[in-house]
Amino acid sequence: MKEYIAVGMNDENVLAAKFPEDFKKSIKTFLFKMMREVAEDTKKYCQDEFASLPKMKDFDWRLDMKTSTKNQERVKQPILYVQMDLEG
């Protein structure tokens, strides 16, 4: 749905194909109706409010999981590292 608003999708069939086959039609119809109504205003708002933010050129991520340690509580806490390269 972010694609619909951000890119201004002309062909709703592309987005509709991403829904599971057993997704309830009435809910999908409602979602598309709402997206059509708010897409332009949302896109304009995001462009106006966040125009000065740097754009992301690239990112890398890594998830570390401890499989054994002396402290048992530490085993259950994964650590996510994210590195982002920004423009400007």
Side-chain angles (χ1 to χ4, degrees):
M1 292 184 202
K2 288 188 284 184
E3 287 177 60
Y4 187 90
I5 292 171
V7 189
M9 247 185 210
N10 294 329
D11 187 7
E12 291 182 355
N13 293 327
V14 174
L15 182 59
K18 295 182 180 187
F19 283 87
E21 288 183 30
D22 60 342
F23 198 84
K24 201 166 187 177
K25 185 178 178 180
S26 60
I27 295 173
K28 188 174 12 175
T29 304
F30 174 76
L31 289 173
F32 275 98
K33 180 181 177 218
M34 291 291 102
M35 286 188 299
R36 276 186 226 107
E37 289 178 11
V38 301
E40 279 305 311
D41 292 335
T42 303
K43 185 175 182 178
K44 183 175 177 356
Y45 172 79
C46 289
Q47 287 172 343
D48 292 346
E49 289 295 314
F50 306 109
S52 64
L53 294 176
K55 297 195 184 285
M56 185 167 51
K57 292 191 303 187
D58 192 20
F59 77 97
D60 194 15
W61 65 276
R62 180 179 87 216
L63 181 64
D64 289 352
M65 297 280 287
K66 293 232 182 233
T67 54
S68 65
T69 183
K70 292 178 185 175
N71 183 352
Q72 193 63 18
E73 287 300 313
R74 180 108 169 122
V75 173
K76 299 175 186 175
Q77 297 175 356
I79 300 171
L80 177 64
Y81 295 98
V82 179
Q83 178 182 358
M84 293 185 277
D85 295 328
L86 305 175
E87 290 179 350

